[in-house]
Amino acid sequence: MKNLILLSLLSCLPTLEAIQLAPPIKATINDKPLRIESPGYAAPCFADIDGDGKKELLVGQYKDGKIQIFPHLGGNKFASGKWLKADDKIIKIPGVW
């Protein structure tokens, strides 16, 4: 079993070597640092949600499992965030603990 786990991990090495992260940015709204809901534990990612070719900033929140969307205005600037909704209701992803 240990050999199988080691083999599985080693097979991922080529993929792991190819991953490169971009340098951090200071995201702003109206020239002020973008703030997220407390207690934090944010899980940010970028995705083109509205199909306009610009990637919005999505920030998952630990509290209540909500996801906030910040439209990209260009550069490091974003519009105010809105909660991700379906059928006009804020989506909440249940936690695992």
Side-chain angles (χ1 to χ4, degrees):
M1 184 63 143
K2 288 181 185 178
N3 289 340
L4 182 59
I5 293 170
L6 181 58
L7 183 60
S8 296
L9 291 174
L10 288 175
S11 68
C12 293
L13 286 179
T15 304
L16 294 175
E17 290 174 9
I19 295 172
Q20 293 185 8
L21 300 176
I25 63 167
K26 186 174 188 177
T28 61
I29 296 175
N30 297 325
D31 295 321
K32 295 180 182 172
L34 185 145
R35 298 191 51 91
I36 58 166
E37 182 180 286
S38 281
Y41 308 117
C45 71
F46 288 98
D48 184 7
I49 297 295
D50 55 12
D52 66 356
K54 294 188 276 186
K55 292 185 177 182
E56 286 73 38
L57 174 62
L58 283 74
V59 182
Q61 299 292 322
Y62 175 76
K63 183 179 180 184
D64 295 329
K66 299 181 289 184
I67 298 174
Q68 202 166 14
I69 301 172
F70 297 91
H72 195 197
L73 301 176
N76 297 341
K77 296 182 180 193
F78 296 86
S80 296
K82 296 180 181 174
W83 296 114
L84 182 62
K85 293 182 179 182
D87 296 328
D88 258 353
K89 295 179 184 174
I90 295 174
I91 295 172
K92 295 184 179 183
I93 301 165
V96 294
W97 55 111

